[in-house]
Amino acid sequence: MCAYVLVAEDDEKQAELLRRYLEWEGHAVGLVHDGRSVLDSVRRRAPDLLVLDVMMPKVSGLDVCRILRAESDLPMLMLTARATEDDLLLGLDLGADDYMTKPYSPRELMARIRTLLRRTRRAATPVEPLLRVGDLAVDPVRHEVSVAGESVECTPGEFQLLELLMSQPGRVFTRAQILEHLHGFDRHITSRTVDVHVMNLRRKIEPDPRRPVRLLTVYGVGYKLADGPHG
């Protein structure tokens, strides 16, 4: 599974360490050390995956994530020394697909990267039919979402969550099941991660996000996609 991975890390020694690990796994690697260079590099040659440090000079990693997510669905894994839950959730809210806190195990980081790349490749493989519930449609092949024929932009994480719920309308998925589907089980990820993705999806697919009729909360359990008409 060779890929082009762009590593955005202002610590040059750490960046070189990641380069060695990635190249050992057969990937092509680009290195940049500030936020402005990240934007320039991605726009010049889009990578298959961006590993992005939050604390970047010139343009912060969070701002880079926000800008790139508005432009594309590029898979992004964020690295952060900020260990508070709010900081981590902010990165996910801006569109990151996964994160790791420093210090981290390079072997675990490689496993996360493999997972993200597999998920991205799977989404690009034309084997799955269109999923449709009422006027909500998900195309796993084209990685597209629409409501009443109108296109809806989703981050890769939001898309994977919606695709999971759409695969079995009416079934209640627990937060733990959703987290395992999205990221693989990890003690650093909390159930609030799922809540952030749900909140963002409701803004995009619900007529009134405050009174959802599509993506429903089953209190004390998790979430489900309503299997009846939406109105």
Side-chain angles (χ1 to χ4, degrees), residues 1-73:
M1 190 193 300
C2 297
Y4 171 49
V5 180
L6 181 63
V7 175
E9 168 65 74
D10 64 332
D11 184 329
E12 296 190 14
K13 290 184 179 179
Q14 188 67 28
E16 286 295 335
L17 176 64
L18 294 180
R19 183 212 288 269
R20 289 199 294 272
Y21 271 91
L22 287 162
E23 289 181 342
W24 186 83
E25 295 208 352
H27 301 303
V29 184
L31 298 182
V32 289
H33 305 296
D34 66 78
R36 174 52 60 189
S37 296
V38 179
L39 296 173
D40 291 343
S41 182
V42 169
R43 288 163 177 165
R44 185 168 56 250
R45 178 190 176 188
D48 297 298
L49 176 72
L50 172 63
V51 178
L52 176 63
D53 185 20
V54 169
M55 303 299 290
M56 297 286 286
K58 297 186 180 179
V59 182
S60 76
L62 291 174
D63 284 337
V64 169
C65 180
R66 175 181 53 79
I67 292 167
L68 291 179
R69 182 54 70 229
E71 297 178 357
S72 74
D73 61 357

Side-chain angles (χ1 to χ4, degrees), residues 4-229:
Y4 171 49
V5 180
L6 181 63
V7 175
E9 168 65 74
D10 64 332
D11 184 329
E12 296 190 14
K13 290 184 179 179
Q14 188 67 28
E16 286 295 335
L17 176 64
L18 294 180
R19 183 212 288 269
R20 289 199 294 272
Y21 271 91
L22 287 162
E23 289 181 342
W24 186 83
E25 295 208 352
H27 301 303
V29 184
L31 298 182
V32 289
H33 305 296
D34 66 78
R36 174 52 60 189
S37 296
V38 179
L39 296 173
D40 291 343
S41 182
V42 169
R43 288 163 177 165
R44 185 168 56 250
R45 178 190 176 188
D48 297 298
L49 176 72
L50 172 63
V51 178
L52 176 63
D53 185 20
V54 169
M55 303 299 290
M56 297 286 286
K58 297 186 180 179
V59 182
S60 76
L62 291 174
D63 284 337
V64 169
C65 180
R66 175 181 53 79
I67 292 167
L68 291 179
R69 182 54 70 229
E71 297 178 357
S72 74
D73 61 357
L74 168 67
M76 288 183 275
L77 187 154
M78 299 195 78
L79 305 174
T80 176
R82 298 174 173 179
T84 69
E85 185 178 59
D86 286 344
D87 286 324
L88 298 174
L89 290 172
L90 176 58
L92 291 171
D93 196 18
L94 290 173
D97 299 287
D98 200 357
Y99 63 77
M100 289 193 68
T101 56
K102 296 181 178 181
Y104 54 81
S105 159
R107 291 178 62 190
E108 182 181 358
L109 177 59
M110 293 305 107
R112 298 285 191 93
I113 287 172
R114 286 193 296 270
T115 298
L116 276 175
L117 288 173
R118 278 198 304 268
R119 200 165 73 210
T120 303
R121 299 286 171 82
R122 200 162 54 235
T125 302
V127 295
E128 299 180 65
L130 182 70
L131 302 174
R132 188 182 298 277
V133 179
D135 60 0
L136 179 62
V138 169
D139 188 334
V141 175
R142 295 185 174 87
H143 211 269
E144 295 175 348
V145 176
S146 63
V147 177
E150 295 293 325
S151 179
V152 175
E153 294 295 325
C154 293
T155 69
E158 292 164 3
F159 183 90
Q160 292 296 327
L161 170 56
L162 185 58
E163 183 183 18
L164 174 66
L165 297 176
M166 290 277 287
S167 69
Q168 298 185 61
R171 173 185 168 179
V172 181
F173 289 87
T174 66
R175 289 175 176 82
Q177 289 170 331
I178 295 171
L179 277 173
E180 186 172 5
H181 177 78
L182 292 177
H183 303 296
F185 182 74
D186 174 47
R187 66 184 184 277
H188 298 300
I189 300 177
T190 73
S191 62
R192 282 191 59 199
T193 306
V194 175
D195 298 337
V196 170
H197 286 315
V198 168
M199 178 181 65
N200 290 336
L201 277 171
R202 282 176 172 161
R203 291 172 182 161
K204 299 174 180 182
I205 69 172
E206 295 285 0
D208 182 353
R210 295 168 300 177
R211 298 178 178 83
V213 295
R214 295 186 172 99
L215 208 171
L216 305 179
T217 301
V218 179
Y219 292 101
V221 184
Y223 298 100
K224 70 175 183 177
L225 193 78
D227 55 359

